[in-house]
Amino acid sequence: MSGRGVDGALAHLAANPAERTRALAELVAIPSVSSDPRRAPDMRCAARLLARSLARAGLDRVSVARTRGHPLVLAEHRRRPGGPCLLIYGHYDVVPAGRRRDWSSPPFTPTIDGRFMYGRGVSDDKGPLLCHVAALSAWLRGPGRLPIDVVCLFDGEEEIGSPGLRSFVRTHGRRLGATAAVVSDTRALGADRPTLVTSLRGKVVCDVAVAGPRRDLHSGQYGGAVNDPANVLAGLLASLHDSTGRVAIPGFYDAVRPVPAAERARLARHVPSDAAFLSGTGVREGAGEAGFSAFERAALRPSLTVSRLAAGGRRTDSIIPSRAAATVSLRLVADQRPAEIARQLRRHLADRTPPSVTTTIATRKASPPWTLPHETPQLRAAARALAASFPHPPVVLPSGGTIAVVSILARLGLPVIMMGFARPDDGMHGPDERADLTLLDRGAGACARLLAELAAPDAQPRDRPLELMLA
Amino acid sequence: MSGRGVDGALAHLAANPAERTRALAELVAIPSVSSDPRRAPDMRCAARLLARSLARAGLDRVSVARTRGHPLVLAEHRRRPGGPCLLIYGHYDVVPAGRRRDWSSPPFTPTIDGRFMYGRGVSDDKGPLLCHVAALSAWLRGPGRLPIDVVCLFDGEEEIGSPGLRSFVRTHGRRLGATAAVVSDTRALGADRPTLVTSLRGKVVCDVAVAGPRRDLHSGQYGGAVNDPANVLAGLLASLHDSTGRVAIPGFYDAVRPVPAAERARLARHVPSDAAFLSGTGVREGAGEAGFSAFERAALRPSLTVSRLAAGGRRTDSIIPSRAAATVSLRLVADQRPAEIARQLRRHLADRTPPSVTTTIATRKASPPWTLPHETPQLRAAARALAASFPHPPVVLPSGGTIAVVSILARLGLPVIMMGFARPDDGMHGPDERADLTLLDRGAGACARLLAELAAPDAQPRDRPLELMLA
């Protein structure tokens, strides 16, 4: 019966590709930039459009739920109390488009060229989100019902840290009754090579400020006689790495779970070479912790980067600025704990702060690393759904990114399936962001199959055993 | 005769203190901020006011001379071709007032409280400049003529590097026929203790930029695998000092002329203690090159400070900025050469730049250090003029600042007399800038006496021999 159901859903999907493209273009045309307060009306407009799509698809209790910030879009389909229930997460907000002149076409005027649609948010995350909506619609309008219960939770604040979702899940999370979650907000290795992400790095972002003189001093009058906050800050930041590229904060690596040699060997067969990994960045030669490949450094190992430096100003080259600031961004791997790492950083900097300047450190963001065991049944169900929808079986990969919502959902005890439908070269967050419509078609198929697979998690092995995909 | 003349001039000065205060208030009320293009009309207004004062005082060929920027005010008095001719320099432009709320009274509404007048520019340099104008006026309206020839050169661009003056002096400098120059744009040790500055530090200001990836990268995707420009910049800046507080650029100290022990001992008797030097800065403990006092570090020794850091931005803590920049400000002492120091810095940074980032260095400003030998006759003439005008004899001091115009005038071969009428606590460039009217009165007297002393540079020794002032 599940087989008949899924065939009906897939047939419905196959019959309506233009409808999906139209729905995506309609959503991408709304400049739902969550970080821009002037876009609040657009945020509401995008939320209402999504709610209408869900209602038209046949979901129940569709609502646009207010938060302190931008609304959440909720919907559900519940027929089997106590049975498996999939929480489908997606986000309809986007990052700012940046400078218009860097784009080949207007960022909020979706433009199709060959198999690609261009526009801000088309790949992150409007396209992948609509794969799930299309799959739900195909089941409900084809077979007429879903093989398992679902609850949809569409976020309008992913790009600004999901504060509303965080508080919603804290209050209502358990009552949602979900038994697993799916998040399609990561990349696939390629359009033919689906990918399941089973680990994410955590994040600690700290603002570091060095304060010295009460006010800016004239360097003619005082230069050479006082500690210069910008110079002190430079020294402190320089002390955070040793000469081999390792982070030099005492204790930093203590909790890092080693990656087994077999897993590193498996990854080496699938992940891009250093040259391929760096291609397009303009960086000819990688750098970082000795003994690891570029991919490993960026996905399996923790890192420390400086995302902001600020002191003085352009027009004041005769001053010793009274204050210098930096933002330090640490990416963490299992089992590093954000609070402990922030403590270590604070101690390290305090120990190295010279007299008569003061270093203060404030944690701006913290999110723990996340991992999902490979033997998780829902992960294996997703692998089967992907294998049946793409030319090649899926690869299970770690990711170096941090997706706050995954930590939020993991804290509910849910296994989170991360199946991404963006290409590595989609230019997420950059100019000329695009989505591969072929990849999205396959993604919608995989979303439809996932519902069936989760309804029968112990289904018979397929032609391509999961071992192959992990090997 | 010179004696009778100077007494007449001094009598005229003593009779008109209110007139001087009124003239100063009138000039301070004009917001002649040279760095603010919207203030160009105010610049012209201040220049015309000065020109009127000079004409009323009885100077000849008074003119407001156009430059590419703000005008110069010129005037002269020539009676003895081939005799001594004093070039009197001053500047009528000011730095921006900063935030209104940091001031106790409006910065361009001169306010008198006891012996102080408050307002932007009152001490730097409008008050001291008007001391010279008052002295000229007193001679011309009292005795009826000046004891030596003079040429006045009043700058409207000192605070922005004097580009117009630089080009004027390059073209017309020799034809001015000056044999010495006086600049009153430095501090005295106190209202009772006049000061002659005989050395200035030079300056090299370099913009340093580290460029890495072609565009900002996401630290989730690349953090740990590429050289992060902000981190690299921090390391480069940290490498510029060693652990003893010395500048670590190879060759940096090679040309530094050592200060004789006797001169250091003399200075130690006059200059503020470390605690007094740092008082008001909010810095409890000095720092810098080991083996030197705070004053020595800031006036006799070269220094390197960082006046600007810039990378990324507040709202983008997930990025690896593609570029990081700093402005490095070096203060030089005799006989360091700016171009050679810039070369050394460039080499030092290039040698330490890791692969796949690029460091570029651009020299933004360069000015050589300046020194005047203590035996210079015009300096001794100025010392006599000050000794007769103040309760205590003058002290001869080095200064850590850089005054571009002094280098410009020194390049003409002129001995430059730097006698300053600002107090160390006048708050130049800060909020609540003020001038001590008592000090300015004494300064006007010293300016009047200077003209007479320069007319008779080999006059008999006074009660207080100059040796005492230098000792």
Side-chain angles (χ1 to χ4, degrees), chain B residues 11 52 67 92-93 105 115 168 193 198 219 228 230 278 284 310 420 450 464:
Chain B
R52 278 197 304 275
T67 70
Y92 65 89
D93 66 323
S105 56
R115 68 194 274 177
F168 178 86
R193 176 60 87 181
T198 52
S219 60
D228 152 9
L278 296 171
R284 284 180 313 281
L450 176 66
R464 299 190 186 94

Side-chain angles (χ1 to χ4, degrees), chain A residues 90-338:
Chain A
H91 69 91
Y92 66 89
D93 65 325
V94 302
V95 294
R99 296 178 304 196
R100 171 62 184 89
R101 68 170 179 277
D102 294 337
W103 285 75
S104 309
S105 55
F108 297 108
T109 304
T111 307
I112 293 175
D113 185 2
R115 69 196 273 179
F116 297 104
M117 184 187 292
Y118 290 82
R120 168 58 79 231
V122 65
S123 168
D124 178 17
D125 177 46
K126 290 175 172 177
L129 180 156
L130 290 183
C131 288
H132 289 285
V133 175
L136 295 171
S137 175
W139 273 100
L140 289 167
R141 291 159 75 187
R145 59 179 186 80
L146 301 186
I148 58 165
D149 285 0
V150 305
V151 51
C152 295
L153 198 49
F154 295 156
D155 189 357
E157 300 181 318
E158 197 275 338
E159 302 292 1
I160 54 173
S162 300
L165 180 91
R166 198 182 297 267
S167 111
F168 178 87
V169 169
R170 198 180 296 127
T171 314
H172 305 289
R174 300 279 168 195
R175 270 179 285 163
L176 295 175
T179 56
V182 62
V183 174
S184 298
D185 194 20
T186 43
R187 293 176 182 78
L189 275 182
D192 294 345
R193 176 61 85 179
T195 306
L196 286 160
V197 167
T198 51
S199 70
L200 292 171
R201 291 197 290 185
K203 183 157 80 166
V204 181
V205 178
C206 291
D207 285 326
V208 178
V210 176
R214 189 173 301 140
R215 51 185 169 80
D216 293 352
L217 299 180
H218 196 283
S219 60
Q221 202 180 350
Y222 293 100
V226 297
N227 271 317
D228 152 9
N231 236 329
V232 170
L233 178 65
L236 290 176
L237 295 176
S239 78
L240 294 171
H241 284 93
D242 69 16
S243 61
T244 72
R246 274 167 73 90
V247 173
I249 302 171
F252 184 75
Y253 292 95
D254 286 358
V256 173
R257 198 193 297 173
V259 179
E263 172 66 356
R264 290 183 65 187
R266 179 186 76 80
L267 286 172
R269 284 199 298 279
H270 288 293
V271 303
S273 67
D274 284 14
F277 183 82
L278 296 171
S279 76
T281 62
V283 173
R284 286 179 313 280
E285 197 175 330
E289 206 183 349
F292 293 93
S293 71
F295 180 88
E296 288 176 328
R297 286 166 174 166
L300 292 178
R301 301 295 295 174
S303 71
L304 185 157
T305 54
V306 175
S307 66
R308 181 179 66 103
L309 289 176
R314 272 234 155 248
R315 287 165 61 183
T316 52
D317 59 29
S318 285
I319 62 145
I320 300 172
S322 65
R323 222 181 113 81
T327 300
V328 173
S329 188
L330 297 116
R331 300 279 173 169
L332 311 182
V333 299
D335 296 312
Q336 291 178 303
R337 285 166 36 232

Side-chain angles (χ1 to χ4, degrees), chain B residues 87-310:
Chain B
L87 186 155
I88 301 174
Y89 171 88
H91 69 91
Y92 65 89
D93 66 323
V94 302
V95 295
R99 294 177 304 193
R100 172 63 185 86
R101 66 170 180 276
D102 294 336
W103 286 73
S104 310
S105 56
F108 296 107
T109 304
T111 307
I112 293 176
D113 186 1
R115 68 194 274 177
F116 297 104
M117 183 187 291
Y118 290 83
R120 167 59 77 230
V122 64
S123 167
D124 178 15
D125 178 42
K126 291 175 173 178
L129 180 157
L130 290 183
C131 288
H132 288 285
V133 176
L136 295 170
S137 175
W139 273 99
L140 290 166
R141 291 159 75 188
R145 59 178 187 79
L146 301 185
I148 58 164
D149 286 359
V150 304
V151 51
C152 295
L153 199 49
F154 294 157
D155 189 358
E157 300 181 317
E158 197 276 338
E159 302 292 2
I160 53 172
S162 300
L165 181 90
R166 199 182 297 265
S167 110
F168 178 86
V169 169
R170 199 179 296 127
T171 313
H172 304 290
R174 300 279 168 196
R175 269 179 285 161
L176 296 175
T179 57
V182 62
V183 174
S184 297
D185 194 20
T186 43
R187 294 176 181 79
L189 275 181
D192 295 345
R193 176 60 87 181
T195 306
L196 286 159
V197 167
T198 52
S199 70
L200 292 171
R201 292 196 290 185
K203 183 157 79 167
V204 181
V205 178
C206 290
D207 285 325
V208 178
V210 176
R214 189 173 301 141
R215 50 185 169 79
D216 294 351
L217 298 180
H218 196 282
S219 60
Q221 201 179 353
Y222 293 101
V226 296
N227 271 318
D228 152 9
N231 237 329
V232 170
L233 178 65
L236 290 176
L237 295 177
S239 78
L240 294 171
H241 284 91
D242 69 16
S243 60
T244 71
R246 275 169 73 91
V247 173
I249 302 171
F252 184 74
Y253 291 95
D254 286 357
V256 173
R257 198 192 298 173
V259 180
E263 171 68 356
R264 290 183 65 187
R266 180 186 75 80
L267 287 172
R269 286 198 298 279
H270 289 292
V271 303
S273 67
D274 284 15
F277 183 83
L278 296 171
S279 76
T281 62
V283 173
R284 284 180 313 281
E285 196 174 331
E289 207 185 346
F292 293 93
S293 72
F295 179 88
E296 288 176 327
R297 287 166 174 165
L300 292 178
R301 302 294 297 173
S303 71
L304 184 157
T305 54
V306 175
S307 65
R308 181 179 66 104
L309 290 175

